[in-house]
Amino acid sequence: MEGKVFQNFNVVQSCYRQNKQFKTRYQREPDLFMSTLLPCPREKMAFNLNSSMRAHTLSKYQFVLSKQRTFYCNATSSSATVPSLDKNDFLKLQNGSDIRGVAVTGVEGEPVSLPEPVTEAIAAAFGQWLLHKKKAESRRLRVSVGHDSRISAQTLLEAVSRGLGVSGLDVVQFGLASTPAMFNSTLTEDESFLCPADGAIMITASHLPYNRNGFKFFTSDGGLGKVDIKNILERAADIYKKLSDENLRKSQRESSSITKVDYMSVYTSGLVKAVRKAAGDLEKPLEGFHIVVDAGNGAGGFFAAKVLEPLGAITSGSQFLEPDGMFPNHIPNPEDKAAMEAITKAVLDNKADLGIIFDTDVDRSAAVDSSGREFNRNRLIALLSAIVLEEHPGTTIVTDSVTSDGLTSFIEKKLGGKHHRFKRGYKNVIDEAIRLNSVGEESHLAIETSGHGALKENHWLDDGAYLMVKILNKLAAARAAGQGSGSKVLTDLVEGLEEPKVALELRLKIDKNHPDLEGSDFREYGEKVLQHVSNSIETNPNLIIAPVNYEGIRVSGFGGWFLLRLSLHDPVLPLNIEAQSEDDAVKLGLVVATAVKEFNALDTCALSNLTHSS
């Protein structure tokens, strides 16, 4: 093999589909292990078939194609001509503890912000960050990389692999994977699957439209936080300048390996074992249960064939299991009304015992019982709280800020637990549960109304599939103990949960260009709005401000409550209202409308529509 260099070109099948929702042309990505090796001269130019035949300079990689054969290869890197970007352009890609941007054209007014050169720089920056964190001098670090079903996944996978190579890290490609599996790969100890990985990258943009994509990063300590993401983007901006200079790029080249591994088989076998263990090590504890899965054409289709069927469940009627990055059937989002209607219909049409639905990258989930009753938002939290509090009496349940008063009453008065209502953001909720444990307050569940949930027993891994496994454990264990079968076991667990008749969220946008801001940041303006609302309510005898609140202002009155807060990322003040009647919801809306009427930079149209609807 010496003296021979190969270029790895993926065989891409171009598919053209007229979709009723998007009416656009797209590429179907190749199978994980399908590739063709074509010879190319060393240090020459090559064309990347996945990026409109752009000319790319070459950098040195080593591809491990099997246990017996290793090929040295010049993998493509970023285009010789790259747009000029500064640090602020990179920082705009931060979305809390994730990175997100536009990866492909196709939506008017949304230019590409996550091209291959930017992706390479971000991956190289993560490599730098990881090397600094691990301080590994005696061995090479390796990073696992996976992706969901998005149409830009394969292109970004290759760019990420190149970027990691620039930092001298070895790459383990998982192909189509879930976000929880990527984190799990940093914990698994199995050298035959090149685990544990020192770090992991999931290429995903959750439930966002087909043109978006992004990255989530993990180490064995969990997902990276906001500070780390900012650090990586700042590093990426500096690297990007060097990547556009060929001379500097040559000095950074390192010989790295890229290996393809079927890690999802490891991850799914762990889920299967968990259910069997809960049922007393029965081989098929779900035998006879009819469970349908809706993956929304995301990455969660594995759950039917690789988890439920080995446990004995019937999965006929499952839908949208095939990966399709155009998401032609519905948004893969357990909070989306159309998505929940789709899984509910599938349960009822197939007379199934249970329905399970995932978001695109499987870190969120929801369920539906045999009668079509949804287990999502407050009801899902109530169900998981009931299961966890049976195992850990008195434990603290940490949730986000928009959970209902009825949920608090259910957890504390019926279940005997403690409800700790914290901030929005799944990372905030998980980190708070970890903090409580560190100061002596036991917590075993951290969960958001969005369907993000993590358990202490599962390394605080934000895992939609594992949440469903906890529910399956309850079904299997109840039947094994002769306590009944079918989803009524689950429905009975949430009996007594008080639920509002009206629940809505309004988004009051802040016009960043309005003269009232006087050059100040929208966050400063938003804080002024919140303070003014708080001051105006203190003198109202019909209203009570929550004495313990970590986000915005939460007020009870007229048989319900509202929460006005500043968005984590956007110039928006979300207003959540829950009430026992539409009239009471309007009354709560009027309280806010009256308090904010002097703030002209605030778009209150949605609030006006509510208050004028009665």
Side-chain angles (χ1 to χ4, degrees):
M1 291 299 297
E2 188 162 358
K4 291 220 173 183
V5 183
F6 292 84
Q7 169 65 38
N8 184 311
F9 288 112
N10 285 301
V11 179
V12 180
Q13 176 187 4
S14 293
C15 300
Y16 303 89
R17 177 179 299 178
Q18 286 296 325
N19 181 277
K20 64 182 180 180
Q21 183 176 0
F22 300 105
K23 294 184 179 179
T24 189
R25 190 173 90 177
Y26 71 102
Q27 287 184 321
R28 180 175 296 278
E29 302 300 338
D31 182 83
L32 170 62
F33 297 105
M34 287 186 64
S35 63
T36 301
L37 291 175
L38 302 175
C40 71
R42 188 176 182 83
E43 301 297 346
K44 293 292 181 69
M45 303 299 290
F47 290 101
N48 182 341
L49 298 182
N50 283 337
S51 56
S52 305
M53 300 297 286
R54 297 188 313 168
H56 286 258
T57 54
L58 302 175
S59 61
K60 184 180 176 185
Y61 283 82
Q62 180 184 55
F63 280 75
V64 182
L65 299 179
S66 68
K67 291 183 179 179
Q68 292 76 31
R69 305 184 71 185
T70 299
F71 295 88
Y72 288 87
C73 149
N74 285 337
T76 63
S77 63
S78 59
S79 172
T81 302
V82 295
S84 176
L85 299 173
D86 60 22
K87 189 169 292 186
N88 286 332
D89 293 313
F90 275 84
L91 292 176
K92 289 175 183 176
L93 296 171
Q94 181 164 4
N95 185 64
S97 55
D98 302 341
I99 290 174
R100 289 181 182 173
V102 177
V104 294
T105 58
V107 177
E108 187 176 354
E110 295 189 8
V112 171
S113 59
L114 202 62
E116 292 176 67
V118 169
T119 295
E120 289 179 27
I122 291 171
F126 175 65
Q128 278 189 2
W129 178 91
L130 191 64
L131 287 165
H132 176 75
K133 179 180 176 64
K134 296 289 186 178
K135 295 179 173 60
E137 298 178 356
S138 60
R139 66 181 180 87
R140 298 181 66 85
L141 297 185
R142 59 192 175 202
V143 175
S144 57
V145 187
H147 60 77
D148 64 19
S149 60
R150 293 175 181 279
I151 62 173
S152 56
Q154 189 66 30
T155 298
L156 295 193
L157 173 66
E158 293 169 0
V160 165
S161 299
R162 294 192 296 267
L164 292 170
V166 168
S167 292
L169 277 66
D170 292 334
V171 181
V172 186
Q173 293 182 351
F174 291 172
L176 186 69
S178 70
T179 291
M182 299 313 300
F183 176 25
N184 209 61
S185 71
T186 68
L187 304 174
T188 299
E189 295 186 2
D190 190 336
E191 191 59 35
S192 65
F193 287 90
L194 301 183
C195 289
D198 296 291
I201 302 176
M202 178 63 179
I203 303 171
T204 182
S206 187
H207 61 282
L208 294 182
Y210 76 96
N211 66 321
R212 310 291 184 87
N213 218 326
F215 311 105
K216 296 182 179 182
F217 302 90
F218 302 94
T219 68
S220 58
D221 295 329
L224 272 60
K226 296 176 184 178
V227 174
D228 294 323
I229 296 301
K230 183 180 179 183
N231 180 286
I232 287 170
L233 288 171
E234 289 173 342
R235 289 174 183 264
D238 293 336
I239 291 171
Y240 182 81
K241 296 174 185 177
K242 298 175 183 178
L243 289 180
S244 62
D245 184 328
E246 178 62 15
N247 291 326
L248 287 171
R249 188 172 184 78
K250 284 181 180 178
S251 69
Q252 291 188 329
R253 286 178 181 153
E254 296 281 351
S255 177
S256 300
S257 71
I258 297 180
T259 312
K260 295 182 177 181
V261 169
D262 177 22
Y263 179 77
M264 287 301 291
S265 61
V266 178
Y267 171 73
T268 54
S269 68
L271 298 177
V272 170
K273 289 175 184 176
V275 180
R276 286 174 176 159
K277 182 180 178 181
D281 294 321
L282 289 175
E283 181 71 13
K284 294 185 179 297
L286 298 181
E287 191 164 20
F289 280 110
H290 189 175
I291 304 173
V292 296
V293 176
D294 185 327
N297 302 112
F302 69 85
F303 201 80
K306 300 297 185 181
V307 178
L308 293 176
E309 289 175 13
L311 293 168
I314 301 164
T315 62
S316 59
S318 293
Q319 59 192 15
F320 318 139
L321 305 183
E322 289 297 317
D324 186 337
M326 296 303 294
F327 310 123
N329 294 291
H330 62 69
I331 298 170
N333 180 4
E335 286 191 287
D336 181 66
K337 182 179 179 181
M340 292 308 297
E341 287 175 350
I343 183 61
T344 299
K345 185 176 186 299
V347 168
L348 297 176
D349 288 352
N350 290 279
K351 296 180 174 57
D353 296 302
L354 187 71
I356 292 173
I357 186 168
F358 297 111
D359 76 337
T360 317
D361 58 325
V362 202
D363 60 359
R364 294 189 295 140
S365 57
V368 175
D369 73 9
S370 58
S371 69
R373 189 183 191 192
E374 298 174 0
F375 289 110
N376 65 349
R377 298 186 63 78
N378 286 294
R379 207 178 289 162
L380 178 64
I381 297 173
L383 175 59
L384 268 299
S385 296
I387 293 171
V388 168
L389 279 160
E390 282 184 353
E391 300 168 351
H392 307 282
T395 196
T396 295
I397 309 298
V398 181
T399 74
D400 59 340
S401 59
V402 299
T403 47
S404 70
D405 289 345
L407 179 66
T408 301
S409 178
F410 181 76
I411 291 173
E412 297 189 348
K413 294 180 180 178
K414 179 170 183 180
L415 302 180
K418 180 180 178 181
H419 182 197
H420 183 81
R421 186 185 286 117
F422 197 55
K423 300 176 182 178
R424 287 282 274 179
Y426 71 92
K427 193 73 169 60
N428 289 330
V429 173
I430 293 171
D431 287 348
E432 179 68 359
I434 294 171
R435 187 194 68 80
L436 290 177
N437 280 283
S438 72
V439 298
E441 182 173 342
E442 182 188 75
S443 176
H444 286 268
L445 174 64
I447 185 168
E448 266 202 314
T449 48
S450 64
H452 282 288
L455 291 132
K456 184 179 181 180
E457 70 187 51
N458 194 38
H459 311 284
W460 292 115
L461 171 56
D462 179 35
D463 189 345
Y466 195 83
L467 286 188
M468 293 301 103
V469 161
K470 288 295 288 185
I471 291 174
L472 297 176
N473 287 350
K474 185 62 181 177
L475 288 178
R479 187 166 71 174
Q483 297 173 352
S485 61
S487 60
K488 188 176 184 301
V489 171
L490 306 178
T491 307
D492 289 347
L493 285 176
V494 298
E495 189 67 35
L497 173 66
E498 297 174 11
E499 300 185 76
K501 299 293 190 298
V502 179
L504 50 88
E505 179 175 291
L506 308 178
R507 296 177 68 80
L508 313 182
K509 295 182 180 179
I510 300 172
D511 181 357
K512 294 190 294 183
N513 299 315
H514 196 280
D516 281 8
L517 267 68
E518 298 177 344
S520 63
D521 182 75
F522 75 85
R523 293 188 174 279
E524 183 179 338
Y525 188 84
E527 293 295 344
K528 289 180 180 178
V529 173
L530 293 174
Q531 186 59 56
H532 185 76
V533 172
S534 178
N535 293 341
S536 68
I537 286 171
E538 286 179 349
T539 58
N540 190 326
N542 297 316
L543 304 172
I544 301 174
I545 298 176
V548 179
N549 187 53
Y550 297 92
E551 186 173 44
I553 175 171
R554 186 179 178 107
V555 176
S556 297
F558 303 112
W561 59 270
F562 74 78
L563 173 71
L564 184 66
R565 61 186 175 87
L566 188 58
S567 170
L568 295 175
H569 314 300
D570 304 315
V572 173
L573 286 165
L575 172 64
N576 292 85
I577 297 176
E578 287 193 1
Q580 292 304 317
S581 71
E582 290 186 9
D583 286 345
D584 288 336
V586 169
K587 290 176 183 176
L588 290 168
L590 281 169
V591 169
V592 179
T594 301
V596 304
K597 64 182 179 181
E598 303 298 330
F599 290 87
N600 298 318
L602 198 63
D603 182 355
T604 58
C605 290
L607 195 52
S608 297
N609 290 338
L610 170 68
T611 57
H612 289 95
S613 63
S614 59

